[in-house]
């Protein structure tokens, strides 16, 4: 199946305590944003769309300086206001077709720009799961030592994924769930086009959550979860987390 990646890199990253956009902080000598882009390219995506916002020109320049020499095809979409992950992907939808006359009909990976240890093999497993899913959607899950702050994976009595509940909106019983959302998805383009515009923002943050798409797709068919190692999908939100991941990468 043909594939495109949408990489979310528009946020400020205020917890980094720096004037630099989070995705521009270096991990093993390169900007954070370049690492998931490499994984996507190694997984065989045709091209990537990087959603930029805060310090957009600096992020654009950092990616554009490296992509051509590595054979990566990269486009950019602008998210002027950070209104959630669903809104970020909505901003990328107009560029999904890449100027082609026919709408892109393959799979779309949605990735975060601050997850430097993501592997191409995991994206390959998600692409396979998406192709097998009757809902046309697969997502990565993990089980962190501390689930605080992460969205929880909701399953029915038969063990089927039925949705994701963000931590801020979760009940105490839901917060006790150990399986968490990694923020890495593979979904057929047609579902993004049809259903993303219908998502609302009736939640604690007042944002458009991409996670709400999972519940919609689960009503239509079987969503497949691919559980991965927590370290691989660990995001960087603070300088301490960046240092910890650097150390973990050295020991890997």
């Amino acid at each position: 199946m043909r594939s495109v990646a949408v990489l979310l890199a528009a946020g400020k990253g205020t917890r980094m305590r720096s004037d630099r956009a989070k995705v521009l902080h270096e991990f093993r000598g390169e900007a954070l944003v370049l690492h998931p882009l490499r994984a996507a390219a190694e997984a065989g995506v045709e091209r990537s769309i990087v959603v930029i916002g805060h310090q957009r020109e600096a992020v654009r320049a950092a990616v554009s300086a490296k992509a051509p020499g590595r054979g990566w095809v990269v486009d950019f979409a602008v998210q002027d206001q950070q209104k959630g992950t669903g809104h970020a992907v909505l901003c990328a939808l107009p560029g999904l077709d890449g100027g082609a006359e026919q709408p892109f009909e393959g799979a779309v990976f949605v990735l975060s720009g601050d997850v430097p240890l993501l592997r191409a093999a995991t994206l390959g497993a998600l692409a396979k799961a998406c192709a097998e899913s009757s809902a046309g959607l697969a997502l990565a899950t993990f089980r962190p030592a501390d689930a605080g702050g992460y969205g929880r994976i909701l399953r029915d009595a038969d063990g089927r994924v039925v949705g994701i509940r963000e931590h801020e909106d979760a009940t105490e019983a839901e917060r006790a769930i150990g399986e968490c959302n990694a923020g890495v998805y593979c979904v057929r383009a047609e579902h993004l086009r049809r259903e993303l515009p219908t998502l609302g923002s009736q939640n604690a943050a007042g944002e458009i959550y991409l996670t709400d798409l999972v519940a919609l797709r689960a009503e239509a068919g079987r969503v497949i979860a691919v559980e991965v190692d927590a370290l691989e999908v660990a995001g960087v939100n603070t300088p301490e987390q960046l240092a910890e991941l650097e150390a973990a990468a050295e020991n890997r």
Side-chain angles (χ1 to χ4, degrees), residues 23-35:
V23 296
L24 294 179
H25 285 260
E26 288 194 353
F27 179 87
R28 307 195 79 182
E30 288 198 324
L32 277 169
V33 68
L34 296 175
H35 294 274

Side-chain angles (χ1 to χ4, degrees), residues 131-184:
E132 295 172 352
S133 163
S134 56
L137 189 152
L139 71 159
T141 71
F142 71 115
R143 295 179 182 274
D146 179 4
Y150 293 109
R152 306 308 203 276
I153 302 300
L154 306 181
R155 294 178 179 267
D156 64 15
D158 296 320
R160 294 164 62 100
V161 175
V162 294
I164 299 172
R165 186 82 72 235
E166 295 295 351
H167 180 82
E168 295 83 356
D169 301 297
T171 64
E172 286 303 312
E174 290 167 342
R175 289 182 180 184
I177 295 170
E179 187 180 19
C180 297
N181 175 35
V184 182

Side-chain angles (χ1 to χ4, degrees), residues 61-147:
V63 173
S64 298
K66 297 290 185 178
R70 298 176 180 181
W72 303 348
V73 179
V74 180
D75 297 322
F76 298 89
V78 174
Q79 186 185 23
D80 284 316
Q81 295 178 290
Q82 279 69 67
K83 297 180 180 179
T85 50
H87 178 253
V89 180
L90 270 173
C91 292
L93 281 188
L96 198 59
D97 303 327
E101 292 184 5
Q102 296 296 321
F104 176 74
E105 295 181 350
V108 180
F109 292 108
V110 180
L111 314 175
S112 298
D114 65 346
V115 182
L117 295 182
L118 184 66
R119 298 181 305 125
T122 293
L123 299 183
L126 282 172
K128 182 175 183 293
C130 181
E132 295 172 352
S133 163
S134 56
L137 189 152
L139 71 159
T141 71
F142 71 115
R143 295 179 182 274
D146 179 4

Side-chain angles (χ1 to χ4, degrees), residues 28 116-119 229 231-233 247-252:
R28 307 195 79 182
L117 295 182
L118 184 66
R119 298 181 305 125
D229 181 73
L231 182 63
E232 181 182 349
V233 292
E250 291 296 329
N251 296 327
R252 203 173 189 184

